[in-house]
Amino acid sequence: MERTGKVVVEKVGGKSTVTRCFSKYPLKFIVPSKAGPCKTDSVWIYSLTYGGGIVSGDSISCEFEIGDGCTTVFTTQASTKVYKSVGSKCSAQFLEVTVGSDALLAILPDPVTCFSTARYSQKQVFKVLLDSNLVIVDWFTSGRHESGEKWDFDLYKSTNNIFLDDNQPLFLDTVLLEQQNISPITERMRGYQVIAMIILLGPKLKHIQSEVQENVKRMMSEQLHIPFTGLSGCAQSNSRHFTKPSFIASCSVFGPKGIGVIVRVAAMTTESVYKFLQHQLVGMEPLIGVLPYR
């Protein structure tokens, strides 16, 4: 696949600096001179697409190189719209990233929103060291609710693979939703409208990992395991009165010595996921200069 974008971030004069930035249709990168306080050493890169979305048949391929000790944020200005498929054409995005020693890369996009009949596939491959730091937020919505579209796209596929520098697999994950005659997507999603995955990897994020694990545990304990006291004065199960929660999150560790944490979310509203991300990633503000998803 021909490259449509490349970004190289290196230390120049002791500061994280974009030393190369290339993009071509349908992709465009914007690198503001400063996105946070001057004392914060971080580079922000915004990804845009001409026409405000990804057109049927579009193919985007990017390469990022984050040098040793650099801090970089890759984000968007709005949700990534994937327009209706023409025939059986599939839109595709591919991102290949190398993260250096003691470097931090945070991928903090708005969600992907696929229109009715859209076919979309994305793949992100990361090569890291044991002391690299990586934050990945990968999420998508059910579609254009204002147009009455909910899980009406034909195909959504998202792959995230993380490898150590010796090509040893550290994390391999694929989400695939495809319309089937037996069971349409909307039936399988059981009323949930947003799916999200958050990955936190590396020593600089250890305190955030611990906080997120505790927060998710507390949140789900309150929602799913609330005992109540019956007339006998004993705690009783309220399973007969169970109400499906509007927000579900799970958390687990991966990698040697649990160096990575993954959070998976299913929610009924996009706003609730934005609030969750803002709350859980608040500890990143000192690292990147700005509160994520503010």
Side-chain angles (χ1 to χ4, degrees):
M1 186 184 297
E2 183 183 1
R3 288 280 191 249
T4 53
K6 180 170 183 175
V7 174
V8 177
V9 180
E10 299 174 288
K11 283 283 189 179
V12 177
K15 293 185 177 181
S16 301
T17 306
V18 175
T19 57
R20 183 180 179 187
C21 184
F22 154 76
S23 61
K24 68 177 184 179
Y25 183 87
L27 180 67
K28 183 178 181 180
F29 292 136
I30 295 178
V31 183
S33 57
K34 200 64 183 176
C38 294
K39 63 180 180 180
T40 304
D41 177 34
S42 64
V43 168
W44 283 65
I45 302 165
Y46 290 84
S47 174
L48 309 174
T49 51
Y50 291 92
I54 299 176
V55 177
S56 176
D58 273 353
S59 181
I60 297 172
S61 176
C62 302
E63 181 182 359
F64 277 29
E65 296 179 9
I66 312 302
D68 295 349
C70 294
T71 298
T72 305
V73 179
F74 184 46
T75 186
T76 55
Q77 290 186 317
S79 64
T80 298
K81 300 174 181 63
V82 182
Y83 295 122
K84 294 185 177 184
S85 175
V86 177
S88 59
K89 289 183 179 179
C90 184
S91 305
Q93 282 204 91
F94 177 70
L95 175 63
E96 185 175 9
V97 179
T98 301
V99 185
S101 174
D102 195 42
L104 167 63
L105 172 64
I107 297 185
L108 307 174
D110 295 286
V112 172
T113 297
C114 293
F115 287 23
S116 174
T117 74
R119 299 179 63 83
Y120 176 71
S121 176
Q122 70 174 27
K123 184 175 183 179
Q124 300 183 140
V125 178
F126 303 88
K127 296 180 181 179
V128 301
L129 304 173
L130 284 175
D131 64 345
S132 299
N133 303 275
L134 182 63
V135 178
I136 304 170
V137 177
D138 185 15
W139 58 315
F140 60 101
T141 72
S142 59
R144 297 183 297 171
H145 295 183
E146 68 279 4
S147 300
E149 297 178 3
K150 293 183 179 180
W151 306 115
D152 287 340
F153 53 82
D154 286 349
L155 171 72
Y156 175 89
K157 182 179 181 180
S158 179
T159 297
N160 287 280
N161 293 339
I162 305 175
F163 297 90
L164 293 173
D165 59 334
D166 57 358
N167 287 325
Q168 178 183 349
L170 180 62
F171 178 85
L172 306 175
D173 182 85
T174 295
V175 173
L176 173 63
L177 287 177
E178 189 171 10
Q179 295 291 1
Q180 298 176 355
N181 293 330
I182 299 176
S183 176
I185 296 174
T186 185
E187 183 178 317
R188 283 175 269 159
M189 299 312 292
R190 304 291 182 179
Y192 291 100
Q193 306 299 327
V194 186
I195 300 296
M197 179 180 73
I198 303 99
I199 296 174
L200 302 165
L201 173 69
K204 288 185 178 180
L205 305 170
K206 209 65 182 175
H207 65 293
I208 301 176
Q209 291 176 339
S210 299
E211 290 176 359
V212 169
Q213 290 180 83
E214 285 300 317
N215 290 341
V216 170
K217 180 180 179 181
R218 185 186 312 111
M219 179 189 307
M220 297 317 299
S221 294
E222 292 173 353
Q223 289 202 56
L224 301 177
H225 303 289
I226 302 177
F228 70 96
T229 303
L231 295 176
S232 63
C234 300
Q236 300 177 4
S237 170
N238 60 353
S239 58
R240 287 183 296 177
H241 305 284
F242 177 78
T243 301
K244 181 171 64 177
S246 61
F247 189 101
I248 296 177
S250 67
C251 193
S252 58
V253 299
F254 67 90
K257 299 181 180 179
I259 61 173
V261 168
I262 176 172
V263 182
R264 297 188 188 273
V265 170
M268 293 187 179
T269 67
T270 306
E271 292 74 18
S272 64
V273 181
Y274 270 118
K275 290 180 180 178
F276 177 81
L277 291 170
Q278 188 180 69
H279 179 64
Q280 303 307 323
L281 300 179
V282 65
M284 290 189 62
E285 185 174 5
L287 299 174
I288 63 177
V290 176
L291 177 65
Y293 297 103
R294 59 179 178 177

